[in-house]
């Protein structure tokens, strides 16, 4: 996916966007390579995207890696980083891939889900 958009909007706007995409698909036209995560309440966006989670997200975007390696890079406790990564993954901002390690075990590697991200706020 190329772009992930996080926005605030109404339920009606959500369905209107869906109708526009369906019309494009029905006409055989190109559908934008993007995912939109929409919240009705701006407070919900702020609850998800805390200052610490934004810094963590940026660290993952610049250099994906294991949860342990990322927690060391951002100098935060691994369990807190894991909890924040799980919250970001729940909404599709990051993905956790289970990768085999040569010779022994497995590793969970964290990546962002898109190349570009856009945060919008529609307050009214």
């Amino acid at each position: 996916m190329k772009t992930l958009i996080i926005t605030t909007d109404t339920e009606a706007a959500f369905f209107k966007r869906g109708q526009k995409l369906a019309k494009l698909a029905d006409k055989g036209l190109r559908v934008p390579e993007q995912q939109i995560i929409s919240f009705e309440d701006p407070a919900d966006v702020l609850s998800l995207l805390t200052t610490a989670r934004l810094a963590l997200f940026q660290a993952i975007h610049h250099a994906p890696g294991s949860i342990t390696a990322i927690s060391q890079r951002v100098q935060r406790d691994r369990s807190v980083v894991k909890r924040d990564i799980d919250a970001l993954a729940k909404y599709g901002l990051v993905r956790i891939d289970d990768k085999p390690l040569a010779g022994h075990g497995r590793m969970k590697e964290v990546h962002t889900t898109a190349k570009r991200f856009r945060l919008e706020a529609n307050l009214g």
Side-chain angles (χ1 to χ4, degrees):
M1 173 190 354
K2 290 190 177 185
T3 304
L4 173 65
I5 301 166
I6 302 167
T7 187
T8 56
D9 226 333
T10 63
E11 183 179 344
F14 169 81
F15 285 110
K16 188 174 182 177
R17 276 194 315 272
Q19 288 173 337
K20 286 170 92 175
L21 291 173
K23 286 180 183 178
L24 288 174
D26 287 345
K27 293 178 182 177
L29 299 174
R30 186 173 175 268
V31 176
E33 290 185 48
Q34 64 184 18
Q35 177 183 357
I36 300 175
I37 301 170
S38 182
F39 295 86
E40 286 189 76
D41 187 349
D44 292 336
V45 177
L46 297 175
S47 175
L48 172 63
L49 298 177
T50 63
T51 302
R53 286 184 184 156
L54 280 173
L56 177 62
F57 176 81
Q58 289 174 322
I60 295 167
H61 188 63
H62 292 298
S66 71
I67 295 168
T68 300
I70 293 167
S71 65
Q72 290 170 349
R73 263 198 339 262
V74 298
Q75 298 178 346
R76 292 178 55 206
D77 182 77
R78 186 191 183 286
S79 64
V80 175
V81 168
K82 171 73 167 91
R83 189 171 40 245
D84 284 347
I85 286 172
D86 288 343
L88 295 171
K90 177 181 175 184
Y91 288 97
L93 279 75
V94 300
R95 74 175 192 277
I96 304 168
D97 297 332
D98 193 29
K99 296 179 70 173
L101 293 175
H104 65 287
R106 305 188 72 71
M107 174 183 77
K108 293 184 186 282
E109 190 171 65
V110 185
H111 299 267
T112 56
T113 57
K115 291 181 182 178
R116 293 184 46 219
F117 294 85
R118 191 167 77 214
L119 180 59
E120 298 177 354
N122 301 309
L123 303 174

